[in-house]
Amino acid sequence: MNKFKFVLFLMLTTMGGLWVINLPYPMIRRPVAQTVPLLLLPSFLGMDYNYRQAVSLVEQADQLVNRAISAEDFELGTEKVEKAQQHLDQLPVWFLGYEPKAYCSLFQCSWRFTYDEFATARASIGRMEAKIFQEKNALTAFQQGDQAVLAAKRQYEQAQTPDEQQAAIALWQDGMDQLQLVPGETVAGQSAQTKLVAYNRDFEQVVGTRQGSDQSTTLIESAKVFAMAAAEMGQNPPHPASQWEEAIRLWQRTIQQLEKIPADNPGYLEAQRLLATYESNLSNVRIRLKEEQESAQALNQAKDRLARLIELEARSPNPTRQASEIQAMINNLTQVQSGTTAYPEAQSLLESARRKLSELQG
């Protein structure tokens, strides 16, 4: 048992001594290197390993970080930078340019690390760390802007009212503004610019559709106002020709408003449906105007015949001529259509004329 303890104590003492001898302090290492360099073998192996790893990892990190094409490259590059930094930290400054001859004659040590090369590696790691930090911030900004746009698009699709749509459009625009601010020199910035092309196209289509919808709504509501005025103008006939002409003008204005809505507008179908109704109304009003004009003309012709008949009979009465003129007057009066302003007067004259013609023929 005592022998075992002695052996264990001896091993621990030896290991402790080797650990002290291999500490990275020149005042300890130099005397040992001059007398018993083999005792420094553990630290030589460690420095050789850390040097190899540092060089390899710096090169890998440079490829991944400075030539990255995706976020995954930066994630892996971050790991390589951290590992490279750890291995560089294991190389003490006094080691730079140091080459133990005894060790290198046996193991062909790979390092040829000068202080300038060490500083360059440190600076390269620092630049990559800064770039990784910038890329992480850019990626965060990109993800926030992208999520904001996608959420706004969903909100717009689910909107039930114009106000809800307008609010979604505003959020959509804010999200695209966030993407626009992502630095373009970063990988996230390049992705943001690609996304913005698609988002802008969709946004312009949505806004254009909404503007077209708003425009058609305005034109349709304006047309309805003119239609209401035209309908009121034609209520409770009969009306004189001037009033029917005003109603026609209003219906024409109504139709002109609807004809401004193009075929690709969202309100086109509703406009066409209203146009069919309003054009039918316009046709009816034109018929009423024509009836009014023709009836007024027929009544005036009858009145002219009556005045001429009275004048002729006052100078030289002639029953045959009188009957002929009265019959012609009756023909004029029967052309006056019901529902016109001339109709009541025409009916009164027609009754008198028929009675007078009956007397002459009796």
Side-chain angles (χ1 to χ4, degrees):
M1 187 67 180
N2 290 332
K3 185 177 181 180
F4 175 76
K5 290 181 178 179
F6 175 76
V7 172
L8 179 62
F9 173 77
L10 182 62
M11 291 177 61
L12 291 175
T13 302
T14 303
M15 291 175 62
L18 286 175
W19 178 77
V20 172
I21 292 173
N22 282 273
L23 287 174
Y25 299 114
M27 65 182 63
I28 298 175
R29 295 179 60 86
R30 283 173 182 166
V32 176
Q34 293 173 356
T35 56
V36 194
L38 189 62
L39 295 178
L40 298 177
L41 182 61
S43 60
F44 293 153
L45 291 172
M47 287 185 291
D48 190 40
Y49 171 76
N50 286 316
Y51 170 79
R52 293 173 184 271
Q53 291 297 313
V55 171
S56 175
L57 289 169
V58 168
E59 181 63 27
Q60 293 176 37
D62 178 70
Q63 292 290 327
L64 289 168
V65 174
N66 294 321
R67 296 172 177 80
I69 59 175
S70 67
E72 289 75 14
D73 288 345
F74 278 102
E75 291 179 3
L76 183 57
T78 301
E79 296 178 6
K80 299 296 183 181
V81 166
E82 291 175 352
K83 291 180 180 179
Q85 185 67 62
Q86 292 172 2
H87 287 291
L88 284 174
D89 290 340
Q90 296 299 317
L91 297 176
V93 176
W94 60 264
F95 162 71
L96 304 178
Y98 176 68
E99 182 180 322
K101 296 180 180 179
Y103 172 79
C104 291
S105 63
L106 294 175
F107 296 97
Q108 297 181 350
C109 46
S110 59
W111 65 74
R112 296 290 185 275
F113 226 24
T114 66
Y115 183 82
D116 290 339
E117 291 172 325
F118 182 80
T120 299
R122 287 283 192 185
S124 177
I125 291 293
R127 285 192 298 271
M128 285 188 283
E129 287 177 338
K131 186 167 185 177
I132 290 171
F133 179 77
Q134 182 186 29
E135 285 288 347
K136 287 182 176 179
N137 289 339
L139 180 61
T140 300
F142 166 71
Q143 291 173 341
Q144 291 175 347
D146 190 45
Q147 291 171 2
V149 171
L150 293 175
K153 291 178 70 174
R154 288 193 298 269
Q155 182 175 332
Y156 180 84
E157 292 171 355
Q158 297 169 2
Q160 301 295 324
T161 65
D163 289 340
E164 292 178 351
Q165 289 182 337
Q166 187 61 44
I169 288 175
L171 293 175
W172 193 336
Q173 182 66 65
D174 289 342
M176 290 195 299
D177 289 342
Q178 293 180 43
L179 290 176
Q180 194 68 47
L181 294 176
V182 180
E185 65 274 11
T186 63
V187 173
Q190 296 169 5
S191 298
Q193 292 302 314
T194 302
K195 289 269 190 176
L196 274 171
V197 173
Y199 289 159
N200 273 316
R201 182 184 63 245
D202 295 343
F203 182 79
E204 290 174 0
Q205 182 178 0
V206 167
V207 172
T209 300
R210 177 175 172 79
Q211 289 177 344
S213 179
D214 291 343
Q215 181 185 22
S216 65
T217 300
T218 300
L219 290 171
I220 288 173
E221 291 303 317
S222 174
K224 288 180 178 179
V225 171
F226 284 110
M228 180 65 70
E232 291 177 352
M233 187 69 66
Q235 287 179 352
N236 303 319
H239 300 304
S242 59
Q243 188 165 338
W244 289 121
E245 289 172 350
E246 180 63 17
I248 288 174
R249 187 187 68 82
L250 291 172
W251 283 120
Q252 288 174 336
R253 286 291 303 276
T254 300
I255 292 171
Q256 288 172 0
Q257 294 295 99
L258 296 177
E259 287 177 340
K260 294 178 182 178
I261 300 176
D264 58 350
N265 192 284
Y268 180 75
L269 292 179
E270 182 181 0
Q272 293 301 302
R273 179 180 60 80
L274 292 174
L275 269 174
T277 301
Y278 295 162
E279 288 179 347
S280 176
N281 293 343
L282 175 60
S283 297
N284 291 335
V285 173
R286 282 174 171 162
I287 291 172
R288 297 302 295 270
L289 173 61
K290 184 178 180 181
E291 291 176 349
E292 181 65 27
Q293 291 173 336
E294 290 177 347
S295 296
Q297 183 180 7
L299 177 60
N300 289 333
Q301 289 175 349
K303 287 181 177 181
D304 290 341
R305 289 184 181 280
L306 178 59
R308 189 165 53 252
L309 177 61
I310 293 173
E311 181 181 354
L312 291 173
E313 291 304 314
R315 292 201 301 263
S316 57
N318 186 326
T320 301
R321 184 178 58 191
Q322 186 178 10
S324 176
E325 288 293 332
I326 292 175
Q327 184 60 55
M329 185 174 67
I330 289 173
N331 292 339
N332 289 136
L333 292 172
T334 54
Q335 295 175 9
V336 177
Q337 300 184 50
S338 60
T340 63
T341 56
Y343 187 73
E345 185 178 1
Q347 290 300 301
S348 178
L349 289 175
L350 183 59
E351 183 180 354
S352 298
R354 285 173 175 170
R355 188 170 54 250
K356 183 64 175 177
L357 181 60
S358 179
E359 293 175 356
L360 291 173
Q361 293 176 344

